Amino acid sequence: GKMGFRPGGGGTTTPPETFAITALDGYLKNAEVRVDTNNDNACESTLIANTGDKGSAQIPVEYQNNTLCITALPGITVDESRGVVTKNVELKAPAGERVVSPMTDLVVAQLKANPTPEDIVAAKDIVVSKFDSELGLTADDIFTDYVANANNPKAQAINAIGEALFDADKNLTVEQKLGAVEQASGQAQEVITNNGSLENFAPVIGNEGSVTPNQRPSITVGHESGELNRTIEVGQAFTEVDVAGWFADSDNDPLTYSVEVLPASGSSLTITGSTIQGTPEKAGNYEVYVYAYDGKTRSYPVKFVLEVTAENAEPQLNEQAAGEIQSFLNGLQLTQGQTEDTTISIADLFTDDDPLKLTAETDITGLTVSVDENQMLVIGGTPSVSGKDLSIFVYANDGVNQQAGTVFSLDVAEAVQDQHPLEGKPLYRLTDGNDDGDASTADFTQVWCDTFLFEGGDVLSNTRTIANRTSCSEQLESVGSYAVDGSKLNITWDSNGDGVITNMSLIDQSLAANGAGLLLEHTEDGKTRAELYFANKAHAEQRIQLTSDTPEGQGDFGFYQPKALRSNYQPGKVSVSMGLPVQNDEGDLDIDLYFDSLPAADNPTQANCESRIKALYSSFEIVSSEASDNIGVTKQFFPGDNNTSCVVDYDITGSTHDGQVFGVIAKSARSEVISDLLFNIEWNHPGSGLLPEVTEAELQDFLEGSSRNDYRYQGSLNSVRFDSVEATVFFEGQACMGDVCDADYTFEGDELVLQIGADTERDQFIYTSAEVAFAVTGSKDLIAWGKKDYSAAENQTGWTSEQLTGKTWFYVDDDSTSTAAAPMFASFHFVSDTQVKVSETKTLPWSITNGVLTIDFPEGGSDLVLNRYNASGDVVLATEANGKPLIMSENENLARGIFSKWKNKD
């Protein structure tokens, strides 16, 4: 297998004028580096670098007087001592420092929280004073690379306390953290006094800052190295290995075991009890980290490499195509600070017998690269650095082997300062307006993309057409003139004879590379307002080409958000989604705006999310794509999954249909500093059409048994109606429950028709597979059918972490507390092995015990406790503790189709 290239690999040279830093917990590799650009102790810059081996990174010298931030990412960042990082942690270091660690983070926290101390030296002295004096530690010991002195007891004490701070609750105050340092250092000195070793010293910091002494599980002799390296084939089961003998605990605490694998997908290794097992799904080299946990602290890992081979050959690089692409890139004239928007086909870059998924990355800060559905390499954004032999990485994945890759070099020239930053390139503005450019049609408010170009004194723009609802024009014509006046453009429009009517200048472009565009100031008729423009056409069109099946993450957008509702800016984030109604929704369609990382409230009256979001945006509108559409819109505000987020929930009723484009408009509450937010999103799910119709032959094949003992098992999703799973046999025209055969049956299309005396019952089947089916009764009760008793323990396979972690599952259930059905749809995005995001609104803890999944809902809500019946196809029947079924599926269309057919049944 072949790992492929990674940023920082071959072909990359360090740009001039940099300085080196080191990130510590142990050394943190693959962590993100940002800087505080305006000295407010928040790192608002774009990504500056990623750390490499031994936590090292090269930082442009222009940032040497700024606070540094290191973000460790779960499942991506590797602590070279402790293995894969399991939670998101940010560490900071004050300006001038070359090491970023939990100790430097304490210094920055003091500078932010306290009016005194007034300088870095005094803040460092406070940290030093909290260490037990008998340890004899100085600032040089604490704030330099203490990991490099791993065999020195002083360094071991600092390292153990740093690890405890890294693992501690991020909501601890700086005073609580300093108090924890004082307690933990005293415990370390006590170990030394008693002639003990600090090698496995691992104090644990509690939620209030209290410290519990502890020794982490140690690795037993003979398991410290990678002698367990092995090679197997795809589809071959990993020989089960018992790891219980790999670890010991001097505190005699009971141990549990876990395994982490990089890359995270494809190896399928798990630990059950103390046994490693699994059957790899993809070829490649996997780094395997095995841990023991004593209930308080995780051990350092035992590491080995698993090489998985496959007869299926990995994608091969087409050298001729690579040379042609490199020649094209050599001809690009990229310049620091200037926006780029170009594409080139990479369809022939790799050859393989399997369909290939191509992806791209770059180490050029500010530049964006991606691969579109036509296998075009899309290069956009605004480079914020210059240099020679910078890199673009392209990867190919055939679904069997780990991705293969290649690297291209790219030059970026230094910034050119001889023209206004708004001149010489198309700018794309999203706006809400009435005019559709067609005099024969009725004008009404919609969201549009208008294009402008300021070049050589001429202002050019497009003539708006209906296509500009979902695309930005390139056909431009002269509409006015402009003159440069310092930082402003003074614009005269041809359609107005009153002279200069618009002044434009750049307010902020710090978020442009991340898709948030350029924030401009417009002054017109004495009124000043903030307007959002995009130098990258793709960034503008992403906001107006949304659909109801836009993949998760592609509906996330940045915007310029005033800090604490004032005029200096920080990144804001909003997510746009559309779907069928779920849980608390009403109507026919649902559109959600999820705002995250909202600024702190200026006063206590803005504590709730509605007040806080209305401090930014005064109104929230939905407009439709046709004047004849008669829709009704109601909106509600719900808190998100933390105290800095808020959901604007739109429930839409009336004339809704497939292909309908809805404009989503958030109007600025303070137009002089905050721009409007505008989006277009198309409904392209016709609901019940997501599922094929069940045929009479399919229904008969599923239900009808081969004998009087060939049972089918049924249970209601309604908790009031459900008592137990019931066994029924359909054979030779008679339906029997146990020994009672009191009904005749026939099949009519997708309906099971039961004749019980004079009564006729019709159940419509909306889905069938080899093992499960679902039917809606006349009272709209949804019944789950199985060919086996899905509530029986012997038929339940249980959940594994690999089935859930990093994946999104869709959930259909009856949320009723009466016999009347209340169809409910939700999504569960298992963002890590401990956290799940429910319907994109709240993040909750989850766990698996003996194959049973538990999602912990907050106090006042019932936890969701589910077993798993391994049903066929894309549907999984999950069962609650009493055996009541509900539906889980990774196939969103299938789950939505079941929900829609059930909800909309007459």
Side-chain angles (χ1 to χ4, degrees):
K2 181 178 178 183
M3 290 293 292
F5 292 98
R6 287 290 182 269
T12 301
T13 59
T14 302
E17 300 297 322
T18 66
F19 64 93
I21 66 163
T22 303
L24 299 184
D25 174 43
Y27 295 122
L28 293 172
K29 182 178 180 179
N30 297 334
E32 293 182 343
V33 185
R34 290 179 170 79
V35 297
D36 175 8
T37 56
N38 59 5
N39 300 314
D40 66 346
N41 289 305
C43 286
E44 57 279 298
S45 78
T46 56
L47 184 66
I48 299 301
N50 289 287
T51 59
D53 292 340
K54 291 196 171 182
S56 63
Q58 294 290 332
I59 310 300
V61 73
E62 63 191 275
Y63 298 121
Q64 63 185 343
N65 295 317
N66 296 92
T67 296
L68 293 168
C69 295
I70 303 292
T71 303
L73 304 172
I76 297 174
T77 302
V78 175
D79 182 325
E80 293 184 5
S81 299
R82 299 205 286 165
V84 184
V85 171
T86 59
K87 67 176 183 177
N88 187 296
V89 177
E90 185 177 72
L91 299 176
K92 298 178 182 177
E97 295 297 305
R98 296 298 181 262
V99 170
V100 186
S101 72
M103 301 307 165
T104 63
D105 192 67
L106 280 177
V107 175
V108 175
Q110 290 182 79
L111 297 174
K112 181 177 181 180
N114 303 321
T116 57
E118 297 178 350
D119 57 42
I120 293 171
V121 173
K124 284 185 172 182
D125 288 343
I126 288 177
V127 176
V128 174
S129 72
K130 297 301 179 181
F131 281 84
D132 192 291
S133 60
E134 293 186 36
L135 290 171
L137 296 171
T138 67
D140 286 343
D141 296 319
I142 294 169
F143 299 107
T144 55
D145 183 359
Y146 49 78
V147 175
N149 300 313
N151 295 321
N152 182 295
K154 289 184 179 182
Q156 288 175 346
I158 302 169
N159 186 60
I161 295 168
E163 289 179 353
L165 289 169
F166 188 92
D167 294 339
D169 188 333
K170 65 181 179 181
N171 294 318
L172 290 179
T173 65
V174 64
E175 290 79 12
Q176 288 172 324
K177 290 180 179 179
L178 289 168
V181 170
E182 189 169 22
Q183 295 176 63
S185 64
Q187 294 169 9
Q189 180 56 44
E190 184 177 349
V191 172
I192 294 173
T193 301
N194 294 328
N195 297 317
S197 170
L198 293 177
E199 183 178 358
N200 292 308
F201 176 60
V204 179
I205 302 174
N207 290 339
E208 302 299 326
S210 61
V211 180
T212 302
N214 186 53
Q215 295 285 320
R216 77 167 52 81
S218 60
I219 300 171
T220 56
V221 175
H223 296 101
E224 303 92 340
S225 62
E227 78 278 2
L228 289 165
N229 295 354
R230 63 182 62 196
T231 300
I232 61 176
E233 295 182 357
V234 169
Q236 176 185 347
F238 182 87
T239 302
E240 294 187 358
V241 174
D242 192 332
V243 304
W246 296 7
F247 303 93
D249 189 78
S250 60
D251 295 332
N252 294 318
D253 292 323
L255 300 180
T256 57
Y257 306 95
S258 62
V259 63
E260 297 276 357
V261 184
L262 291 179
S265 64
S267 80
S268 300
L269 292 191
T270 62
I271 281 187
T272 301
S274 61
T275 302
I276 305 179
Q277 56 194 4
T279 303
E281 301 166 352
K282 290 185 179 180
N285 288 340
Y286 297 91
E287 297 176 7
V288 182
Y289 299 78
V290 182
Y291 304 90
Y293 180 65
D294 64 3
K296 299 180 284 292
T297 307
R298 193 170 72 165
S299 69
Y300 286 172
V302 173
K303 296 181 283 187
F304 65 91
V305 173
L306 173 65
E307 181 180 4
V308 181
T309 61
E311 292 183 6
N312 183 307
E314 67 183 18
Q316 298 297 306
L317 180 68
N318 181 338
E319 298 287 353
Q320 179 179 347
E324 293 172 354
I325 294 168
Q326 184 62 67
S327 297
F328 173 83
L329 296 176
N330 292 342
L332 285 182
Q333 298 180 343
L334 268 67
T335 303
Q336 180 183 12
Q338 290 191 6
T339 298
E340 181 62 32
D341 184 9
T342 191
T343 60
I344 181 173
S345 175
I346 57 173
D348 298 327
L349 181 58
F350 294 93
T351 60
D352 199 81
D353 291 336
D354 300 313
L356 295 179
K357 179 180 180 181
L358 302 181
T359 56
E361 299 175 357
T362 183
D363 62 359
I364 305 172
T365 305
L367 196 71
T368 62
V369 295
S370 61
V371 181
D372 68 13
E373 65 275 9
N374 298 316
Q375 296 190 321
M376 303 289 290
L377 178 65
V378 181
I379 303 173
T382 307
S384 59
V385 295
S386 61
K388 295 222 178 256
D389 294 325
L390 305 178
S391 299
I392 291 177
F393 309 88
V394 180
Y395 307 110
N397 192 316
D398 64 2
V400 178
N401 298 278
Q402 284 181 16
Q403 58 191 11
T406 191
V407 60
F408 298 101
S409 62
L410 198 62
D411 295 343
V412 180
E414 291 186 6
V416 177
Q417 302 294 337
D418 59 354
Q419 66 178 8
H420 192 278
L422 301 181
E423 287 186 284
K425 56 195 173 188
L427 297 174
Y428 307 94
R429 182 182 70 174
L430 303 185
T431 185
D432 57 314
N434 295 327
D435 185 7
D436 65 0
D438 187 345
S440 66
T441 61
D443 289 337
F444 61 99
T445 300
Q446 297 178 77
V447 173
W448 309 92
C449 179
D450 292 336
T451 308
F452 297 91
L453 175 62
F454 303 98
E455 191 168 57
D458 288 333
V459 182
L460 294 90
S461 186
N462 62 296
T463 298
R464 188 183 292 169
T465 70
I466 200 69
N468 295 136
R469 287 186 305 163
T470 54
S471 64
C472 303
S473 298
E474 298 290 356
Q475 300 298 318
L476 308 179
E477 59 185 35
S478 179
V479 294
S481 60
Y482 72 93
V484 178
D485 180 10
S487 64
K488 295 183 179 296
L489 295 183
N490 296 334
I491 302 168
T492 303
W493 304 104
D494 289 345
S495 59
N496 191 306
D498 297 334
V500 175
I501 62 168
T502 304
N503 297 324
M504 288 174 52
S505 60
L506 181 64
I507 300 174
D508 199 327
Q509 61 177 339
S510 62
L511 308 181
N514 291 334
L518 313 173
L519 192 64
L520 306 186
E521 181 180 271
H522 274 221
T523 301
E524 193 170 291
D525 295 334
K527 297 179 181 179
T528 298
R529 69 184 188 276
E531 292 277 359
L532 195 62
Y533 283 71
F534 298 87
N536 187 323
K537 180 182 178 183
H539 289 163
E541 291 185 335
Q542 283 170 1
R543 298 183 179 223
I544 55 175
Q545 292 179 352
L546 294 165
T547 68
S548 52
D549 60 358
T550 294
E552 183 179 346
Q554 293 184 24
D556 297 345
F557 301 100
F559 64 94
Y560 290 86
Q561 176 173 257
K563 290 184 179 177
L565 304 184
R566 297 177 183 88
S567 57
N568 53 325
Y569 295 95
Q570 65 183 7
K573 179 183 176 183
V574 60
S575 301
V576 188
S577 61
M578 171 189 276
L580 295 168
V582 299
Q583 280 186 289
N584 299 320
D585 296 322
E586 302 292 340
D588 302 299
L589 290 179
D590 177 74
I591 294 177
D592 288 331
L593 292 183
Y594 186 101
F595 288 89
D596 206 358
S597 302
L598 292 172
D602 273 352
N603 60 68
T605 64
Q606 295 174 340
N608 68 71
C609 95
E610 180 176 356
S611 297
R612 293 177 69 188
I613 199 63
K614 284 186 174 178
L616 295 174
Y617 300 99
S618 59
S619 66
F620 298 87
E621 306 170 33
I622 299 291
V623 295
S624 189
S625 56
E626 299 174 22
S628 59
D629 288 340
N630 182 20
I631 62 169
V633 180
T634 59
K635 62 179 178 290
Q636 304 177 73
F637 297 85
F638 297 109
D641 60 0
N642 56 56
N643 59 10
T644 67
S645 57
C646 188
V647 182
V648 184
D649 173 83
Y650 302 92
D651 295 328
I652 301 169
T653 58
S655 177
T656 62
H657 53 83
D658 192 32
Q660 194 169 10
V661 177
F662 293 91
V664 183
I665 305 170
K667 302 295 287 184
S668 171
R670 300 170 65 238
S671 59
E672 72 281 5
V673 293
I674 307 173
S675 65
D676 296 343
L677 286 179
L678 303 111
F679 308 94
N680 275 330
I681 186 164
E682 179 182 351
W683 173 244
N684 59 5
H685 280 330
S688 58
L690 294 172
L691 283 184
E693 298 295 327
V694 175
T695 67
E696 186 173 313
E698 289 171 337
L699 179 55
Q700 182 174 358
D701 182 64
F702 176 83
L703 278 183
E704 200 155 45
S706 59
S707 71
R708 288 288 182 197
N709 297 314
D710 189 2
Y711 286 97
R712 301 295 179 263
Y713 298 86
Q714 61 171 306
S716 171
L717 271 67
N718 184 298
S719 58
V720 177
R721 292 182 180 273
F722 179 82
D723 181 37
S724 62
V725 175
E726 297 177 341
T728 306
V729 64
F730 298 92
F731 184 68
E732 294 182 346
Q734 280 198 313
C736 306
M737 295 184 66
D739 294 330
V740 179
C741 300
D742 60 354
D744 297 327
Y745 70 88
T746 56
F747 302 110
E748 294 182 10
D750 59 1
E751 289 188 331
L752 166 66
V753 182
L754 291 171
Q755 193 70 41
I756 309 171
D759 297 325
T760 301
E761 178 181 324
R762 291 178 175 270
D763 294 350
Q764 181 188 15
F765 278 72
I766 59 176
Y767 174 85
T768 63
S769 68
E771 294 294 329
V772 297
F774 303 102
V776 185
T777 70
S779 58
K780 294 195 71 169
D781 191 20
L782 186 64
I783 305 297
W785 288 83
K787 288 190 177 180
K788 296 179 182 178
D789 183 355
Y790 44 79
S791 66
E794 64 269 19
N795 292 326
Q796 293 180 346
T797 59
W799 296 93
T800 66
S801 178
E802 287 71 21
Q803 291 168 340
L804 302 173
T805 303
K807 300 177 181 178
T808 300
W809 284 78
F810 301 94
Y811 164 100
V812 179
D813 196 12
D814 193 329
D815 198 36
S816 178
T817 56
S818 69
T819 56
M824 182 179 73
F825 179 91
S827 64
F828 292 131
H829 177 40
F830 293 87
V831 294
S832 72
D833 59 1
T834 59
Q835 299 287 306
V836 57
K837 195 166 189 178
V838 181
S839 293
E840 297 305 309
T841 59
K842 61 180 65 176
T843 301
L844 302 174
W846 70 277
S847 60
I848 295 174
T849 303
N850 297 325
V852 177
L853 167 66
T854 299
I855 298 177
D856 298 322
F857 280 79
E859 186 175 346
S862 298
D863 291 347
L864 188 61
V865 181
L866 300 177
N867 212 321
R868 172 189 171 106
Y869 170 63
N870 196 18
S872 62
D874 289 336
V875 165
V876 167
L877 275 185
T879 54
E880 298 177 358
N882 64 348
K884 187 193 84 66
L886 54 84
I887 299 168
M888 298 280 280
S889 179
E890 288 188 86
N891 184 328
E892 181 177 6
N893 281 356
L894 191 151
R896 285 193 181 276
I898 292 173
F899 171 81
S900 178
K901 276 199 169 184
W902 176 21
K903 181 180 177 69
N904 296 320
K905 187 180 185 305
D906 295 334

